[in-house]
Amino acid sequence: MPEPKQISLPIEGMSCASCVGRVDRALNAIDGVEDVSVNLASETARMSVDALKRIPDIIESLRELGYPARKARAELTIAAMSCASCVGRVDKALAAVPGVVEVNVNLASETATVVYVEGLVTTSDLIESSGAAGYPATVATAQAGDDRVARKEEEAQALAKRVTFAAILALPVFLIEMGGHVIPAVHMLIETTIGQQTSWLLQFVLTTIVLFGPGRTFYTKGFPALFRGAPDMNSLVAVGTGAAYLYSVVATFVPSVLPDTLRTVYFEAAAVIVVLILLGRFLEARAKGRTGAAIQKLLGLQARTARVMRDGESVEIEIDALVQGDIVIVRPGERIAVDGEVIEGTSRVDESMLTGEPIPAEKGAGDTVTGGTVNSAGSLQFLATRVGADTTLAQIIRMVEEAQGAKLPIQGLVDRITLWFVPAVMAIAAATVLVWLFFGPDPALTMALVAGVSVLIIACPCAMGLATPTSIMVGTGRAAEMGVLFRKGDALQQLDSVDVVALDKTGTVTEGRPALTDLVLAEGFDRPTTLSKIAAVESLSE
């Protein structure tokens, strides 16, 4: 019989002894739960459970009772995810940690958002679980967006070099082997000059460099994943190209083991497939980097430094060093660092980034100012009331990030499919080989190999897994650039059924700057003369 495990849950909503009694009775009524002790002062419940699998039942029972367990949220940066199947495995590994309530893994942003019960789970547990599944994880920092964009740019540059190098080597292989199908004289030229065996040796050398140089990551990641019983896209490429390569090596160096009709090579298939998959990875990395452009633009609205009063003197400090209650000095033309209340000075502040209104708002003592807006004229001193993650701009950025990382209803279906997609493809490929071997025309082995490799290579689940998250990121990102913010990603999925859009004010749809649209002249005024005088005055305006 397993040893009972002691757990402690923080509980919200308890306000009196009656609440304690209800929680106590509800927990004692759950099978496998014993020795319940509910503490109103610390708002916790301690108990013994016969198995950690009881935790979901406990959490659900408390929720239905109206006293939910206190939850926390963690965002992890996940490495080594290459396809939708990886998303499913990371999701499954994190969800299996006792105390995890909700998991959302995003392939496009390479992140995982995990909601868990405080006290039962730590970020170390989540990192360990993801790492054990083969996907190293770290806690996302405030600079994670910047780091991710920079990392993807570096990755895209590195992949561009690998694609170019692989393509240069694969092109001769492709032309030597396939050129004769377009121009029959090519095969004759090869036979009469270097000979078939020499051409095969040349293809072997070039393809070996391609596979174990630019394409080595497919094998260093694909085969370990396959041996763990969790094959991914890398496994498909590794098995497919590896089969074509090994068959060709046998035909080149040990031809006697094959019938004469089966002595042919497929070096060009292995080399070209690696080049094409690398090209796809390059395009994917570049697209992932660009999806963060909206967040970067919003981050660009944040001031980097602020001038504050310290010990009676004005000093410039980093924005992260600002604390609530600091007196901040803003000069004309400077960006306001954080949210606050004006205590001295008058000015006009451009709040178009927030309200869409083109005319700067008058600000004086007692008025509120928002971080990220621009002080147009005059000097202000204000009391910092919200700093760091509590500012309006920080909340907007966080809202856009959460919308970009949201899992749409349709994505749940995709994830369930792709989790079994790669194993199913490998099973179908094996069945294809067997069918061609026993029922296919001669040369049966060659035809079986080609058919099996074809199934492995064309069945790439990357597009299926990337389509929805990338669409969300690009859609919400582009909308943010245009001043439209989505609180939830699933609002995008529902837009196709929207017939009417209601706007609360004209500022919502303005461009943030005034423009002359009409000119109605009084009696006795000339249009060209009047316009020229208006333009002369406007040219001297700020």
Side-chain angles (χ1 to χ4, degrees):
M1 185 174 178
E3 187 73 21
K5 296 176 177 59
Q6 289 285 335
I7 63 171
S8 177
L9 293 178
I11 298 177
E12 296 179 331
M14 292 193 302
S15 59
C16 63
S18 297
C19 301
V20 172
R22 293 189 191 96
V23 172
D24 190 291
R25 286 192 297 274
L27 293 175
N28 275 305
I30 301 173
D31 291 338
V33 177
E34 296 178 345
D35 302 328
V36 177
S37 174
V38 183
N39 190 309
L40 178 60
S42 62
E43 296 183 322
T44 59
R46 296 183 60 83
M47 68 206 78
S48 297
V49 294
D50 58 357
L52 293 178
K53 66 180 181 181
R54 305 288 186 188
I55 291 177
D57 296 334
I58 295 171
I59 295 172
E60 180 61 21
S61 178
L62 290 171
R63 187 192 66 80
E64 291 179 352
L65 190 65
Y67 303 98
R70 189 179 300 115
K71 301 179 183 66
R73 179 189 297 264
E75 184 167 344
L76 306 178
T77 298
I78 310 293
M81 292 196 301
S82 59
C83 64
S85 295
C86 302
V87 172
R89 293 189 182 92
V90 174
D91 193 303
K92 189 175 181 180
L94 293 174
V97 177
V100 169
V101 178
E102 181 183 340
V103 179
N104 181 11
V105 183
N106 191 303
L107 177 60
S109 62
E110 297 181 335
T111 59
T113 302
V114 184
V115 178
Y116 59 91
V117 176
E118 284 186 8
L120 288 184
V121 183
T122 65
T123 52
S124 298
D125 297 331
L126 301 175
I127 291 171
E128 182 181 350
S129 179
S130 180
Y135 303 93
T138 56
V139 177
T141 61
Q143 288 77 36
D146 294 337
D147 296 342
R148 183 168 61 246
V149 172
R151 187 176 70 251
K152 282 303 166 186
E153 287 179 355
E154 292 178 5
E155 184 180 328
Q157 291 173 1
L159 280 168
K161 294 177 182 178
R162 289 168 60 190
V163 169
T164 303
F165 181 56
I168 291 172
L169 296 179
L171 183 60
V173 177
F174 180 78
L175 293 177
I176 289 172
E177 190 62 28
M178 304 302 292
H181 295 286
V182 180
I183 306 174
V186 172
H187 276 166
M188 189 178 299
L189 178 64
I190 293 173
E191 289 285 352
T192 56
T193 52
I194 61 175
Q196 184 187 67
Q197 186 65 20
T198 303
S199 77
W200 285 5
L201 290 172
L202 178 61
Q203 291 181 55
F204 164 75
V205 172
L206 295 175
T207 303
T208 301
I209 297 174
V210 171
L211 266 59
F212 298 102
R216 66 184 178 278
T217 53
F218 296 123
Y219 306 97
T220 57
K221 293 181 179 179
F223 284 122
L226 181 63
F227 297 148
R228 287 197 306 268
D232 58 7
M233 180 58 197
N234 293 311
S235 305
L236 290 181
V237 177
V239 172
T241 56
Y245 176 77
L246 291 176
Y247 182 91
S248 303
V249 168
V250 171
T252 302
F253 296 101
V254 198
S256 58
V257 303
L258 297 174
D260 292 339
T261 55
L262 299 182
R263 290 175 188 171
T264 186
V265 296
Y266 297 97
F267 288 121
E268 88 290 343
V272 170
I273 285 167
V274 166
V275 171
L276 292 177
I277 300 295
L278 283 175
L279 178 60
R281 293 283 171 88
F282 162 69
L283 296 174
E284 176 186 321
R286 192 173 64 171
K288 284 181 178 179
R290 288 178 177 175
T291 54
I295 298 296
Q296 298 307 305
K297 189 171 181 178
L298 289 171
L299 288 170
L301 296 175
Q302 292 180 322
R304 302 302 177 192
T305 60
R307 188 172 297 276
V308 301
M309 295 297 294
R310 292 282 170 89
D311 299 325
E313 294 185 2
S314 172
V315 295
E316 190 169 347
I317 62 173
E318 293 292 323
I319 190 73
D320 293 335
L322 266 175
V323 295
Q324 191 173 350
D326 273 339
I327 296 176
V328 185
I329 302 171
V330 188
R331 294 176 296 190
E334 288 185 338
R335 193 175 293 278
I336 293 173
V338 294
D339 298 356
E341 182 179 329
V342 177
I343 58 174
E344 185 178 321
T346 58
S347 182
R348 286 178 294 159
V349 177
D350 180 1
E351 297 182 326
S352 57
M353 56 79 68
L354 188 66
T355 65
E357 299 295 345
I359 307 300
E362 295 284 347
K363 297 293 181 180
D367 292 331
T368 58
V369 289
T370 305
T373 56
V374 179
N375 183 30
S376 300
S379 180
L380 293 174
Q381 288 190 23
F382 69 90
L383 186 71
T385 56
R386 290 192 293 184
V387 300
D390 295 328
T391 65
T392 302
L393 182 58
Q395 292 178 42
I396 291 173
I397 293 172
R398 186 162 60 249
M399 184 174 66
V400 174
E401 287 177 334
E402 289 175 357
Q404 287 191 340
K407 181 178 289 186
L408 271 61
I410 193 174
Q411 184 65 22
L413 174 62
V414 172
D415 289 347
R416 286 195 296 273
I417 294 173
T418 52
L419 183 62
W420 300 100
F421 188 83
V422 174
V425 167
M426 300 196 80
I428 292 171
T432 301
V433 170
L434 292 175
V435 169
W436 277 89
L437 275 176
F438 289 106
F439 303 104
D442 290 330
L445 181 59
T446 299
M447 302 292 279
L449 178 65
V450 172
V453 170
S454 298
V455 170
L456 289 172
I457 299 306
I458 65 171
C460 171
C462 293
M464 200 188 317
L466 276 172
T468 302
T470 303
S471 298
I472 296 172
M473 294 189 73
V474 173
T476 54
R478 178 60 179 148
E481 290 177 0
M482 300 174 71
V484 179
L485 301 178
F486 287 89
R487 283 197 312 110
K488 295 183 179 180
D490 54 5
L492 279 173
Q493 184 172 329
Q494 297 171 7
L495 278 180
D496 65 339
S497 61
V498 172
D499 297 318
V500 177
V501 177
L503 303 175
D504 62 342
K505 57 180 179 176
T506 56
T508 306
V509 291
T510 59
E511 295 181 350
R513 58 180 183 272
L516 179 65
T517 58
D518 296 289
L519 178 63
V520 180
L521 297 174
E523 191 72 28
F525 286 90
D526 176 67
R527 184 181 181 87
T529 303
T530 304
L531 280 175
S532 64
K533 290 180 179 180
I534 293 173
V537 174
E538 196 276 336
S539 65
L540 299 176
S541 172
E542 62 181 21

mmCIF file of all heavy atoms in Angstrom, residues 196-228:
data_model
loop_
_atom_site.group_PDB
_atom_site.id
_atom_site.type_symbol
_atom_site.label_atom_id
_atom_site.label_comp_id
_atom_site.label_asym_id
_atom_site.label_seq_id
_atom_site.Cartn_x
_atom_site.Cartn_y
_atom_site.Cartn_z
ATOM 1 N N GLN A 196 30.049 5.884 -64.103
ATOM 2 C CA GLN A 196 28.958 5.850 -63.139
ATOM 3 C C GLN A 196 29.453 5.707 -61.705
ATOM 4 O O GLN A 196 28.993 6.398 -60.799
ATOM 5 C CB GLN A 196 28.000 4.710 -63.474
ATOM 6 C CG GLN A 196 26.776 4.661 -62.556
ATOM 7 C CD GLN A 196 25.928 3.433 -62.779
ATOM 8 O OE1 GLN A 196 26.355 2.325 -62.498
ATOM 9 N NE2 GLN A 196 24.716 3.626 -63.307
ATOM 10 N N GLN A 197 30.430 4.796 -61.489
ATOM 11 C CA GLN A 197 30.907 4.565 -60.125
ATOM 12 C C GLN A 197 31.553 5.823 -59.535
ATOM 13 O O GLN A 197 31.335 6.153 -58.370
ATOM 14 C CB GLN A 197 31.927 3.398 -60.124
ATOM 15 C CG GLN A 197 32.377 2.973 -58.734
ATOM 16 C CD GLN A 197 31.237 2.387 -57.891
ATOM 17 O OE1 GLN A 197 30.214 1.959 -58.415
ATOM 18 N NE2 GLN A 197 31.416 2.362 -56.572
ATOM 19 N N THR A 198 32.332 6.502 -60.363
ATOM 20 C CA THR A 198 32.961 7.734 -59.879
ATOM 21 C C THR A 198 31.902 8.794 -59.547
ATOM 22 O O THR A 198 32.016 9.523 -58.557
ATOM 23 C CB THR A 198 33.932 8.300 -60.924
ATOM 24 O OG1 THR A 198 34.906 7.304 -61.249
ATOM 25 C CG2 THR A 198 34.648 9.537 -60.394
ATOM 26 N N SER A 199 30.857 8.872 -60.370
ATOM 27 C CA SER A 199 29.787 9.841 -60.104
ATOM 28 C C SER A 199 29.073 9.504 -58.802
ATOM 29 O O SER A 199 28.705 10.389 -58.033
ATOM 30 C CB SER A 199 28.796 9.880 -61.272
ATOM 31 O OG SER A 199 27.919 8.778 -61.253
ATOM 32 N N TRP A 200 28.907 8.200 -58.525
ATOM 33 C CA TRP A 200 28.280 7.807 -57.271
ATOM 34 C C TRP A 200 29.164 8.163 -56.081
ATOM 35 O O TRP A 200 28.663 8.597 -55.032
ATOM 36 C CB TRP A 200 28.000 6.297 -57.279
ATOM 37 C CG TRP A 200 26.821 5.918 -58.145
ATOM 38 C CD1 TRP A 200 26.102 6.745 -58.946
ATOM 39 C CD2 TRP A 200 26.249 4.628 -58.274
ATOM 40 N NE1 TRP A 200 25.109 6.052 -59.598
ATOM 41 C CE2 TRP A 200 25.162 4.733 -59.197
ATOM 42 C CE3 TRP A 200 26.530 3.374 -57.744
ATOM 43 C CZ2 TRP A 200 24.381 3.656 -59.576
ATOM 44 C CZ3 TRP A 200 25.756 2.284 -58.115
ATOM 45 C CH2 TRP A 200 24.674 2.420 -59.029
ATOM 46 N N LEU A 201 30.486 7.956 -56.239
ATOM 47 C CA LEU A 201 31.409 8.319 -55.162
ATOM 48 C C LEU A 201 31.377 9.824 -54.895
ATOM 49 O O LEU A 201 31.407 10.267 -53.735
ATOM 50 C CB LEU A 201 32.832 7.881 -55.517
ATOM 51 C CG LEU A 201 33.085 6.369 -55.524
ATOM 52 C CD1 LEU A 201 34.464 6.058 -56.078
ATOM 53 C CD2 LEU A 201 32.940 5.802 -54.102
ATOM 54 N N LEU A 202 31.315 10.600 -55.962
ATOM 55 C CA LEU A 202 31.236 12.049 -55.824
ATOM 56 C C LEU A 202 29.940 12.443 -55.100
ATOM 57 O O LEU A 202 29.951 13.288 -54.193
ATOM 58 C CB LEU A 202 31.309 12.710 -57.203
ATOM 59 C CG LEU A 202 31.194 14.247 -57.222
ATOM 60 C CD1 LEU A 202 32.332 14.864 -56.425
ATOM 61 C CD2 LEU A 202 31.199 14.762 -58.654
ATOM 62 N N GLN A 203 28.825 11.807 -55.486
ATOM 63 C CA GLN A 203 27.549 12.082 -54.820
ATOM 64 C C GLN A 203 27.606 11.687 -53.349
ATOM 65 O O GLN A 203 27.063 12.384 -52.475
ATOM 66 C CB GLN A 203 26.428 11.314 -55.517
ATOM 67 C CG GLN A 203 26.105 11.804 -56.920
ATOM 68 C CD GLN A 203 24.960 11.002 -57.534
ATOM 69 O OE1 GLN A 203 23.885 10.897 -56.968
ATOM 70 N NE2 GLN A 203 25.210 10.424 -58.706
ATOM 71 N N PHE A 204 28.279 10.550 -53.068
ATOM 72 C CA PHE A 204 28.417 10.093 -51.682
ATOM 73 C C PHE A 204 29.138 11.132 -50.835
ATOM 74 O O PHE A 204 28.697 11.468 -49.719
ATOM 75 C CB PHE A 204 29.174 8.760 -51.652
ATOM 76 C CG PHE A 204 29.705 8.393 -50.298
ATOM 77 C CD1 PHE A 204 28.862 7.934 -49.291
ATOM 78 C CD2 PHE A 204 31.070 8.529 -50.008
ATOM 79 C CE1 PHE A 204 29.351 7.616 -48.036
ATOM 80 C CE2 PHE A 204 31.561 8.210 -48.754
ATOM 81 C CZ PHE A 204 30.697 7.755 -47.762
ATOM 82 N N VAL A 205 30.248 11.653 -51.348
ATOM 83 C CA VAL A 205 31.040 12.634 -50.592
ATOM 84 C C VAL A 205 30.216 13.898 -50.333
ATOM 85 O O VAL A 205 30.136 14.390 -49.196
ATOM 86 C CB VAL A 205 32.335 12.987 -51.346
ATOM 87 C CG1 VAL A 205 33.057 14.151 -50.656
ATOM 88 C CG2 VAL A 205 33.257 11.773 -51.417
ATOM 89 N N LEU A 206 29.595 14.427 -51.383
ATOM 90 C CA LEU A 206 28.839 15.673 -51.245
ATOM 91 C C LEU A 206 27.626 15.492 -50.322
ATOM 92 O O LEU A 206 27.342 16.343 -49.471
ATOM 93 C CB LEU A 206 28.393 16.173 -52.614
ATOM 94 C CG LEU A 206 29.510 16.605 -53.579
ATOM 95 C CD1 LEU A 206 28.931 16.972 -54.941
ATOM 96 C CD2 LEU A 206 30.287 17.779 -52.999
ATOM 97 N N THR A 207 26.906 14.373 -50.490
ATOM 98 C CA THR A 207 25.714 14.134 -49.663
ATOM 99 C C THR A 207 26.082 13.899 -48.206
ATOM 100 O O THR A 207 25.372 14.363 -47.289
ATOM 101 C CB THR A 207 24.929 12.920 -50.207
ATOM 102 O OG1 THR A 207 24.581 13.150 -51.563
ATOM 103 C CG2 THR A 207 23.662 12.687 -49.390
ATOM 104 N N THR A 208 27.198 13.197 -47.975
ATOM 105 C CA THR A 208 27.652 12.969 -46.602
ATOM 106 C C THR A 208 27.918 14.293 -45.888
ATOM 107 O O THR A 208 27.543 14.486 -44.724
ATOM 108 C CB THR A 208 28.923 12.104 -46.588
ATOM 109 O OG1 THR A 208 28.644 10.847 -47.220
ATOM 110 C CG2 THR A 208 29.397 11.866 -45.161
ATOM 111 N N ILE A 209 28.549 15.219 -46.608
ATOM 112 C CA ILE A 209 28.829 16.537 -46.022
ATOM 113 C C ILE A 209 27.521 17.267 -45.708
ATOM 114 O O ILE A 209 27.366 17.890 -44.656
ATOM 115 C CB ILE A 209 29.696 17.384 -46.971
ATOM 116 C CG1 ILE A 209 31.060 16.717 -47.173
ATOM 117 C CG2 ILE A 209 29.878 18.792 -46.419
ATOM 118 C CD1 ILE A 209 31.931 17.391 -48.205
ATOM 119 N N VAL A 210 26.540 17.161 -46.639
ATOM 120 C CA VAL A 210 25.246 17.834 -46.428
ATOM 121 C C VAL A 210 24.525 17.251 -45.219
ATOM 122 O O VAL A 210 24.043 17.992 -44.344
ATOM 123 C CB VAL A 210 24.355 17.712 -47.686
ATOM 124 C CG1 VAL A 210 22.936 18.206 -47.372
ATOM 125 C CG2 VAL A 210 24.937 18.513 -48.837
ATOM 126 N N LEU A 211 24.461 15.928 -45.138
ATOM 127 C CA LEU A 211 23.695 15.288 -44.068
ATOM 128 C C LEU A 211 24.341 15.463 -42.691
ATOM 129 O O LEU A 211 23.635 15.720 -41.702
ATOM 130 C CB LEU A 211 23.513 13.801 -44.362
ATOM 131 C CG LEU A 211 22.206 13.414 -45.095
ATOM 132 C CD1 LEU A 211 22.101 14.123 -46.431
ATOM 133 C CD2 LEU A 211 22.143 11.909 -45.303
ATOM 134 N N PHE A 212 25.654 15.341 -42.642
ATOM 135 C CA PHE A 212 26.309 15.382 -41.330
ATOM 136 C C PHE A 212 26.956 16.734 -41.044
ATOM 137 O O PHE A 212 27.628 16.888 -40.038
ATOM 138 C CB PHE A 212 27.336 14.260 -41.237
ATOM 139 C CG PHE A 212 26.705 12.900 -41.351
ATOM 140 C CD1 PHE A 212 26.762 12.190 -42.545
ATOM 141 C CD2 PHE A 212 26.009 12.354 -40.283
ATOM 142 C CE1 PHE A 212 26.158 10.951 -42.661
ATOM 143 C CE2 PHE A 212 25.402 11.118 -40.398
ATOM 144 C CZ PHE A 212 25.465 10.408 -41.591
ATOM 145 N N GLY A 213 26.726 17.688 -41.931
ATOM 146 C CA GLY A 213 27.142 19.067 -41.691
ATOM 147 C C GLY A 213 25.915 19.898 -41.386
ATOM 148 O O GLY A 213 25.425 19.914 -40.255
ATOM 149 N N PRO A 214 25.352 20.578 -42.396
ATOM 150 C CA PRO A 214 24.154 21.407 -42.162
ATOM 151 C C PRO A 214 22.958 20.627 -41.631
ATOM 152 O O PRO A 214 22.133 21.174 -40.907
ATOM 153 C CB PRO A 214 23.854 21.986 -43.553
ATOM 154 C CG PRO A 214 25.142 21.901 -44.300
ATOM 155 C CD PRO A 214 25.840 20.692 -43.780
ATOM 156 N N GLY A 215 22.861 19.333 -42.008
ATOM 157 C CA GLY A 215 21.667 18.568 -41.613
ATOM 158 C C GLY A 215 21.835 17.703 -40.381
ATOM 159 O O GLY A 215 20.937 16.904 -40.057
ATOM 160 N N ARG A 216 22.942 17.870 -39.657
ATOM 161 C CA ARG A 216 23.196 16.951 -38.534
ATOM 162 C C ARG A 216 22.170 17.076 -37.410
ATOM 163 O O ARG A 216 21.913 16.104 -36.684
ATOM 164 C CB ARG A 216 24.599 17.168 -37.975
ATOM 165 C CG ARG A 216 24.804 18.512 -37.315
ATOM 166 C CD ARG A 216 26.254 18.699 -36.856
ATOM 167 N NE ARG A 216 26.459 20.015 -36.259
ATOM 168 C CZ ARG A 216 26.676 21.124 -36.940
ATOM 169 N NH1 ARG A 216 26.708 21.074 -38.276
ATOM 170 N NH2 ARG A 216 26.856 22.265 -36.333
ATOM 171 N N THR A 217 21.559 18.273 -37.249
ATOM 172 C CA THR A 217 20.596 18.449 -36.145
ATOM 173 C C THR A 217 19.396 17.519 -36.292
ATOM 174 O O THR A 217 18.780 17.147 -35.293
ATOM 175 C CB THR A 217 20.102 19.904 -36.079
ATOM 176 O OG1 THR A 217 19.614 20.297 -37.362
ATOM 177 C CG2 THR A 217 21.218 20.842 -35.670
ATOM 178 N N PHE A 218 19.048 17.166 -37.527
ATOM 179 C CA PHE A 218 17.916 16.252 -37.722
ATOM 180 C C PHE A 218 18.197 14.906 -37.063
ATOM 181 O O PHE A 218 17.292 14.260 -36.532
ATOM 182 C CB PHE A 218 17.633 16.045 -39.209
ATOM 183 C CG PHE A 218 17.188 17.296 -39.917
ATOM 184 C CD1 PHE A 218 17.873 17.777 -41.011
ATOM 185 C CD2 PHE A 218 16.085 17.999 -39.479
ATOM 186 C CE1 PHE A 218 17.467 18.930 -41.664
ATOM 187 C CE2 PHE A 218 15.670 19.154 -40.114
ATOM 188 C CZ PHE A 218 16.369 19.624 -41.213
ATOM 189 N N TYR A 219 19.460 14.486 -37.084
ATOM 190 C CA TYR A 219 19.812 13.172 -36.552
ATOM 191 C C TYR A 219 20.118 13.237 -35.057
ATOM 192 O O TYR A 219 19.758 12.316 -34.311
ATOM 193 C CB TYR A 219 21.024 12.622 -37.326
ATOM 194 C CG TYR A 219 20.781 12.617 -38.814
ATOM 195 C CD1 TYR A 219 21.253 13.649 -39.617
ATOM 196 C CD2 TYR A 219 20.023 11.615 -39.406
ATOM 197 C CE1 TYR A 219 20.992 13.679 -40.982
ATOM 198 C CE2 TYR A 219 19.748 11.637 -40.762
ATOM 199 C CZ TYR A 219 20.233 12.671 -41.541
ATOM 200 O OH TYR A 219 19.958 12.702 -42.884
ATOM 201 N N THR A 220 20.757 14.333 -34.613
ATOM 202 C CA THR A 220 21.073 14.450 -33.183
ATOM 203 C C THR A 220 19.826 14.665 -32.340
ATOM 204 O O THR A 220 19.815 14.372 -31.142
ATOM 205 C CB THR A 220 22.063 15.606 -32.937
ATOM 206 O OG1 THR A 220 21.504 16.823 -33.451
ATOM 207 C CG2 THR A 220 23.385 15.337 -33.627
ATOM 208 N N LYS A 221 18.762 15.189 -32.953
ATOM 209 C CA LYS A 221 17.503 15.382 -32.234
ATOM 210 C C LYS A 221 16.466 14.324 -32.593
ATOM 211 O O LYS A 221 15.685 13.897 -31.747
ATOM 212 C CB LYS A 221 16.926 16.769 -32.540
ATOM 213 C CG LYS A 221 17.754 17.922 -32.008
ATOM 214 C CD LYS A 221 17.101 19.267 -32.321
ATOM 215 C CE LYS A 221 17.911 20.422 -31.760
ATOM 216 N NZ LYS A 221 17.278 21.739 -32.083
ATOM 217 N N GLY A 222 16.446 13.910 -33.849
ATOM 218 C CA GLY A 222 15.410 12.992 -34.323
ATOM 219 C C GLY A 222 15.525 11.591 -33.764
ATOM 220 O O GLY A 222 14.528 11.019 -33.294
ATOM 221 N N PHE A 223 16.727 11.020 -33.774
ATOM 222 C CA PHE A 223 16.882 9.649 -33.300
ATOM 223 C C PHE A 223 16.705 9.524 -31.782
ATOM 224 O O PHE A 223 16.045 8.584 -31.316
ATOM 225 C CB PHE A 223 18.234 9.074 -33.748
ATOM 226 C CG PHE A 223 18.264 8.692 -35.205
ATOM 227 C CD1 PHE A 223 19.197 9.245 -36.057
ATOM 228 C CD2 PHE A 223 17.347 7.786 -35.720
ATOM 229 C CE1 PHE A 223 19.221 8.904 -37.397
ATOM 230 C CE2 PHE A 223 17.361 7.435 -37.060
ATOM 231 C CZ PHE A 223 18.305 8.000 -37.904
ATOM 232 N N PRO A 224 17.260 10.444 -30.967
ATOM 233 C CA PRO A 224 16.968 10.351 -29.527
ATOM 234 C C PRO A 224 15.474 10.432 -29.225
ATOM 235 O O PRO A 224 14.977 9.704 -28.360
ATOM 236 C CB PRO A 224 17.718 11.560 -28.948
ATOM 237 C CG PRO A 224 18.844 11.800 -29.893
ATOM 238 C CD PRO A 224 18.283 11.477 -31.243
ATOM 239 N N ALA A 225 14.753 11.303 -29.951
ATOM 240 C CA ALA A 225 13.307 11.398 -29.747
ATOM 241 C C ALA A 225 12.618 10.096 -30.132
ATOM 242 O O ALA A 225 11.685 9.643 -29.466
ATOM 243 C CB ALA A 225 12.736 12.558 -30.561
ATOM 244 N N LEU A 226 13.097 9.477 -31.211
ATOM 245 C CA LEU A 226 12.526 8.201 -31.667
ATOM 246 C C LEU A 226 12.769 7.105 -30.640
ATOM 247 O O LEU A 226 11.876 6.305 -30.329
ATOM 248 C CB LEU A 226 13.149 7.825 -33.021
ATOM 249 C CG LEU A 226 12.651 6.539 -33.672
ATOM 250 C CD1 LEU A 226 11.173 6.633 -33.995
ATOM 251 C CD2 LEU A 226 13.447 6.242 -34.932
ATOM 252 N N PHE A 227 13.976 7.076 -30.069
ATOM 253 C CA PHE A 227 14.312 6.039 -29.091
ATOM 254 C C PHE A 227 13.564 6.233 -27.776
ATOM 255 O O PHE A 227 13.354 5.271 -27.038
ATOM 256 C CB PHE A 227 15.820 6.027 -28.837
ATOM 257 C CG PHE A 227 16.640 5.685 -30.065
ATOM 258 C CD1 PHE A 227 17.904 6.228 -30.257
ATOM 259 C CD2 PHE A 227 16.116 4.829 -31.035
ATOM 260 C CE1 PHE A 227 18.645 5.919 -31.389
ATOM 261 C CE2 PHE A 227 16.856 4.517 -32.170
ATOM 262 C CZ PHE A 227 18.119 5.061 -32.351
ATOM 263 N N ARG A 228 13.164 7.482 -27.488
ATOM 264 C CA ARG A 228 12.349 7.735 -26.294
ATOM 265 C C ARG A 228 10.890 7.348 -26.512
ATOM 266 O O ARG A 228 10.070 7.419 -25.598
ATOM 267 C CB ARG A 228 12.391 9.222 -25.913
ATOM 268 C CG ARG A 228 13.683 9.696 -25.310
ATOM 269 C CD ARG A 228 13.488 11.040 -24.595
ATOM 270 N NE ARG A 228 12.899 12.034 -25.467
ATOM 271 C CZ ARG A 228 13.593 12.889 -26.215
ATOM 272 N NH1 ARG A 228 14.911 12.853 -26.195
ATOM 273 N NH2 ARG A 228 12.980 13.772 -26.969
#
